[in-house]
Tab-separated table of all heavy atoms in Angstrom:
chain	number	residue	atom	x	y	z
H	127	SER	N	74.344	-31.498	-69.937
H	127	SER	CA	73.705	-31.264	-68.643
H	127	SER	C	72.580	-30.234	-68.684
H	127	SER	O	71.619	-30.339	-67.939
H	127	SER	CB	74.744	-30.838	-67.606
H	127	SER	OG	75.301	-29.586	-67.969
H	128	ASN	N	72.683	-29.239	-69.559
H	128	ASN	CA	71.687	-28.169	-69.514
H	128	ASN	C	70.358	-28.540	-70.167
H	128	ASN	O	69.384	-27.821	-70.024
H	128	ASN	CB	72.241	-26.866	-70.104
H	128	ASN	CG	72.662	-26.991	-71.559
H	128	ASN	OD1	72.502	-28.035	-72.172
H	128	ASN	ND2	73.228	-25.927	-72.089
H	129	ASN	N	70.295	-29.668	-70.896
H	129	ASN	CA	69.019	-30.064	-71.483
H	129	ASN	C	68.801	-31.581	-71.463
H	129	ASN	O	67.792	-32.051	-71.982
H	129	ASN	CB	68.877	-29.530	-72.910
H	129	ASN	CG	69.896	-30.117	-73.870
H	129	ASN	OD1	70.587	-31.078	-73.559
H	129	ASN	ND2	69.999	-29.522	-75.046
H	130	ALA	N	69.716	-32.316	-70.889
H	130	ALA	CA	69.635	-33.782	-70.762
H	130	ALA	C	69.468	-34.490	-72.105
H	130	ALA	O	69.005	-35.611	-72.168
H	130	ALA	CB	68.517	-34.180	-69.799
H	131	GLN	N	69.871	-33.831	-73.178
H	131	GLN	CA	69.788	-34.425	-74.520
H	131	GLN	C	70.978	-35.354	-74.739
H	131	GLN	O	72.123	-34.973	-74.508
H	131	GLN	CB	69.781	-33.319	-75.565
H	131	GLN	CG	69.746	-33.807	-76.988
H	131	GLN	CD	69.787	-32.647	-77.987
H	131	GLN	OE1	69.679	-31.484	-77.614
H	131	GLN	NE2	69.929	-32.983	-79.242
H	132	LEU	N	70.711	-36.583	-75.191
H	132	LEU	CA	71.793	-37.504	-75.510
H	132	LEU	C	72.670	-36.897	-76.589
H	132	LEU	O	72.171	-36.235	-77.505
H	132	LEU	CB	71.247	-38.854	-75.969
H	132	LEU	CG	70.534	-39.679	-74.894
H	132	LEU	CD1	69.998	-40.967	-75.493
H	132	LEU	CD2	71.429	-39.968	-73.722
H	133	PHE	N	73.994	-37.126	-76.474
H	133	PHE	CA	74.944	-36.468	-77.359
H	133	PHE	C	76.163	-37.355	-77.538
H	133	PHE	O	76.656	-37.946	-76.579
H	133	PHE	CB	75.359	-35.124	-76.731
H	133	PHE	CG	76.177	-34.259	-77.634
H	133	PHE	CD1	75.575	-33.487	-78.606
H	133	PHE	CD2	77.556	-34.207	-77.501
H	133	PHE	CE1	76.320	-32.678	-79.455
H	133	PHE	CE2	78.319	-33.398	-78.334
H	133	PHE	CZ	77.697	-32.631	-79.310
H	134	ASP	N	76.646	-37.486	-78.776
H	134	ASP	CA	77.880	-38.219	-79.057
H	134	ASP	C	79.075	-37.332	-78.737
H	134	ASP	O	79.216	-36.256	-79.321
H	134	ASP	CB	77.950	-38.620	-80.532
H	134	ASP	CG	77.040	-39.778	-80.885
H	134	ASP	OD1	76.582	-40.468	-79.962
H	134	ASP	OD2	76.793	-39.984	-82.077
H	135	CYS	N	79.916	-37.775	-77.824
H	135	CYS	CA	81.096	-37.011	-77.427
H	135	CYS	C	82.333	-37.563	-78.120
H	135	CYS	O	82.453	-38.768	-78.345
H	135	CYS	CB	81.286	-37.075	-75.919
H	135	CYS	SG	79.946	-36.290	-75.034
H	136	GLY	N	83.256	-36.675	-78.429
H	136	GLY	CA	84.466	-37.067	-79.136
H	136	GLY	C	85.403	-37.929	-78.322
H	136	GLY	O	86.146	-38.743	-78.861
H	137	ARG	N	85.376	-37.769	-76.995
H	137	ARG	CA	86.298	-38.513	-76.136
H	137	ARG	C	85.519	-38.956	-74.900
H	137	ARG	O	84.976	-38.128	-74.181
H	137	ARG	CB	87.450	-37.603	-75.740
H	137	ARG	CG	88.491	-38.225	-74.875
H	137	ARG	CD	89.544	-37.152	-74.527
H	137	ARG	NE	90.618	-37.705	-73.785
H	137	ARG	CZ	91.840	-37.915	-74.264
H	137	ARG	NH1	92.122	-37.612	-75.507
H	137	ARG	NH2	92.772	-38.417	-73.508
H	138	ILE	N	85.472	-40.270	-74.668
H	138	ILE	CA	84.776	-40.815	-73.498
H	138	ILE	C	85.763	-41.685	-72.740
H	138	ILE	O	86.408	-42.566	-73.314
H	138	ILE	CB	83.537	-41.628	-73.927
H	138	ILE	CG1	82.576	-40.724	-74.718
H	138	ILE	CG2	82.848	-42.239	-72.708
H	138	ILE	CD1	81.446	-41.449	-75.386
H	139	GLU	N	85.887	-41.418	-71.437
H	139	GLU	CA	86.827	-42.136	-70.570
H	139	GLU	C	86.046	-42.750	-69.418
H	139	GLU	O	85.276	-42.057	-68.747
H	139	GLU	CB	87.884	-41.174	-70.043
H	139	GLU	CG	88.670	-40.512	-71.152
H	139	GLU	CD	89.447	-39.284	-70.696
H	139	GLU	OE1	89.126	-38.719	-69.629
H	139	GLU	OE2	90.376	-38.890	-71.411
H	140	VAL	N	86.225	-44.043	-69.189
H	140	VAL	CA	85.481	-44.762	-68.144
H	140	VAL	C	86.441	-45.656	-67.353
H	140	VAL	O	87.314	-46.305	-67.948
H	140	VAL	CB	84.363	-45.629	-68.774
H	140	VAL	CG1	83.645	-46.446	-67.717
H	140	VAL	CG2	83.380	-44.765	-69.554
H	141	MET	N	86.277	-45.684	-66.016
H	141	MET	CA	87.022	-46.588	-65.147
H	141	MET	C	86.025	-47.395	-64.333
H	141	MET	O	84.984	-46.885	-63.938
H	141	MET	CB	87.917	-45.811	-64.180
H	141	MET	CG	89.055	-45.083	-64.833
H	141	MET	SD	90.206	-44.343	-63.637
H	141	MET	CE	89.139	-43.372	-62.611
Side-chain angles (χ1 to χ4, degrees):
S127 65
N128 60 3
N129 65 12
Q131 178 182 351
L132 292 178
F133 189 81
D134 285 344
C135 295
R137 181 182 184 107
I138 301 170
E139 301 164 341
V140 176
M141 292 187 306

